[in-house]
Amino acid sequence: MSKIIGEAIPNIPWQERPAGCKDIVWRYDENPIIKRDALPDSNSIFNSAVVTFKDGFAGVFRVDDTTRRQTLHRGFSRDGINWDIDEKCIEFVCDDPEISNFIYGYDPRVCFIEDRYYVTWCNCYHGPTIGIAYTFDFETFYQLENAFLPFNRNGVMFPKKIGGNYLMLSRPSDRSHTPFGDIFLSQSPDLCYWGKHRHVMEPKQSWEKTKIGAGPIPIELDEGWLMIYHGVLTSCNGFVYSMGAAILDKDEPWKVKYRAKPYILNPRTDYECVGDVPNVAFPCAALADAETGRIAIYYGCADTTVGLAFTQVDELVDFIKRNNG
Ligand code: BMA
C-alpha cells in the first residue's frame, strides 16, 4: 500500500471510477469544470493551479483574454469544482522595475511551503522564463527574482526543502514552440540563486517523444515523490499533449525510481480534442488526500478550458511499477 505524506482533504472533489472503466485516470463526468468564457473578457481559461485554502480551495488561473493577452487571476472555491475567479488579473508587488514589468504570464503552479503559498509561472523576461511570487492570503502576491535565464518553462517547486534547499523542476526550452525538452531539477538556499542543476529525465516513449515537462507539485509518498508530467508527441497534425507519471527518489529527487511507459491520460474527449489548440491535456495541479489516497488532477483541455480527473494512489503507483521502463 502506498501512503501519501500530507494533509487529509475530506472535501477533495471526487467521483468513483465509472463502472466498466479500466483507465488508471478517469475524468469528472461534468468536465470541463471551468468554461472558456467564465469571465466577461476571457477567450480561454486553462492550465491552472489549485491548492487547499482555509476550509476550501484557492487557485491561480491562466486566463487568455479577448486580446489574447496571457494573464494570471486568483480564484476561490468551496468544493474545488465551482470557482469564483477574480475578473482582475493579479498585480504582483515588487520593488524592482526590472522584474515587475509584467508582459505576459502563463501556466501557473502553486506550492505551499512552510508558511506560504509560492506561485511559479512562465514569465516573460526577454523571452519565457520562470517567475516566482509568494502569498499568504491570495490577496497580496510578492514577486521575487525570476529563477532562471530565458528560455525556460514548467517551473514546479517541491513542497518541502530537501538538504536545506528549495527545489524546482523545470524544462529549459527555446523562444517559441520548443521542439525538444528534458526535465531538470535546480536547487536554491534562498529562492534567489539557483544551482546544483541535475538532469531528471528525457523523453522516452512515442507519446512523449518531442518533449516533457513537470505538471502538478510532486506528491510526497512514503517511498518517493509522485511526479505527474506532460509529454508531447509530434503528429502530422501538430503536437499532442498527454499525461505521464513517475516516482522520484525521496532524498535525491533527480533520480527516477520508476516511470510508467504508457501515458496515464491522453486527449480523446471532445473538449480535449477540440479548442484553440486541439489534442492537449496539460496537468498543472493535483490535490492528494492522505486519508483515502484519492488524487484529483486539474488539467488544461485543448488550451481552452479546465478539466478534472481522478486516480487512487495505490492503483497509480502499482500501474507505474507494473509498467516501469
Ligand atoms: C505549451 C504551452 C502550454 C500550452 C501548450 C499547448 O508550449 O504554451 O501553455 O498548453 O503549449 O499549446
Side-chain angles (χ1 to χ4, degrees):
M1 296 291 272
S2 295
K3 203 171 143 34
I4 293 171
I5 315 287
E7 58 182 338
I9 313 178
N11 55 343
I12 189 170
W14 184 252
Q15 261 175 357
E16 294 299 333
R17 179 189 272 112
C21 169
K22 295 196 182 65
D23 300 335
I24 185 63
V25 173
W26 60 96
R27 296 165 176 82
Y28 180 55
D29 67 3
E30 288 184 53
N31 270 352
I33 57 164
I34 299 171
K35 309 279 192 293
R36 65 183 307 162
D37 55 0
L39 295 182
D41 293 324
S42 55
N43 167 79
S44 43
I45 305 178
F46 52 115
N47 308 350
S48 297
V50 315
V51 287
T52 55
F53 180 66
K54 297 187 176 163
D55 53 357
F57 304 91
V60 175
F61 294 82
R62 170 173 178 174
V63 178
D64 291 9
D65 68 19
T66 48
T67 71
R68 296 308 297 264
R69 184 163 180 255
Q70 299 153 329
T71 59
L72 302 174
H73 294 233
R74 59 146 192 198
F76 300 99
S77 174
R78 309 261 339 146
D79 60 7
I81 293 174
N82 297 288
W83 285 88
D84 184 12
I85 301 175
D86 199 342
E87 285 182 26
K88 295 190 309 296
C89 60
I90 296 172
E91 287 185 21
F92 294 98
V93 175
C94 178
D95 52 19
D96 185 344
E98 186 72 20
I99 300 303
S100 66
N101 179 23
F102 188 93
I103 299 166
Y104 63 72
Y106 62 81
D107 297 358
R109 312 310 203 263
V110 181
C111 185
F112 184 77
I113 311 175
E114 291 172 355
D115 62 349
R116 65 194 76 185
Y117 301 87
Y118 290 92
V119 185
T120 54
W121 70 96
C122 182
N123 187 37
C124 179
Y125 180 74
H126 303 275
T129 182
I130 309 301
I132 312 179
Y134 68 86
T135 182
F136 294 101
D137 51 11
F138 288 85
E139 299 293 335
T140 311
F141 294 78
Y142 301 93
Q143 189 174 353
L144 305 174
E145 292 287 331
N146 293 316
F148 309 118
L149 291 169
F151 309 98
N152 206 315
R153 290 179 169 94
N154 298 301
V156 176
M157 295 184 73
F158 280 70
K160 59 161 70 159
K161 291 184 189 170
I162 297 179
N165 288 322
Y166 296 94
L167 264 53
M168 196 192 301
L169 300 163
S170 74
R171 209 273 305 290
S173 58
D174 71 9
R175 194 181 273 284
S176 182
H177 300 294
T178 315
F180 62 86
D182 294 6
I183 298 176
F184 287 80
L185 182 149
S186 305
Q187 306 178 50
S188 172
D190 56 6
L191 292 171
C192 182
Y193 299 99
W194 292 86
K196 291 192 174 177
H197 309 292
R198 299 284 182 270
H199 184 260
V200 180
M201 61 193 217
E202 66 291 320
K204 264 193 180 173
Q205 310 299 328
S206 298
W207 64 266
E208 57 179 2
K209 206 69 189 176
T210 302
K211 53 183 170 178
I212 53 176
I217 303 309
I219 297 168
E220 187 173 6
L221 308 178
D222 45 357
E223 58 181 313
W225 295 95
L226 172 60
M227 179 178 73
I228 295 171
Y229 66 99
H230 70 259
V232 182
L233 170 153
T234 305
S235 81
C236 59
N237 278 323
F239 288 160
V240 178
Y241 280 71
S242 306
M243 283 181 214
I247 297 173
L248 310 178
D249 184 81
K250 186 93 148 198
D251 303 316
E252 298 178 315
W254 52 91
K255 295 186 176 158
V256 180
K257 287 176 73 175
Y258 306 98
R259 175 174 178 180
K261 283 188 280 192
Y263 56 70
I264 58 168
L265 183 144
N266 83 320
R268 48 175 75 182
T269 63
D270 286 354
Y271 54 89
E272 293 159 353
C273 297
V274 179
D276 282 353
V277 182
N279 306 319
V280 179
F282 194 98
C284 283
L287 300 169
D289 177 20
E291 206 69 42
T292 60
R294 293 173 172 180
I295 297 176
I297 302 168
Y298 290 80
Y299 67 107
C301 305
D303 282 14
T304 305
T305 58
V306 177
L308 188 54
F310 307 108
T311 190
Q312 253 285 345
V313 71
D314 283 333
E315 294 178 30
L316 182 58
V317 168
D318 178 59
F319 178 89
I320 296 168
K321 289 182 178 172
R322 270 190 291 116
N323 292 287
N324 183 40

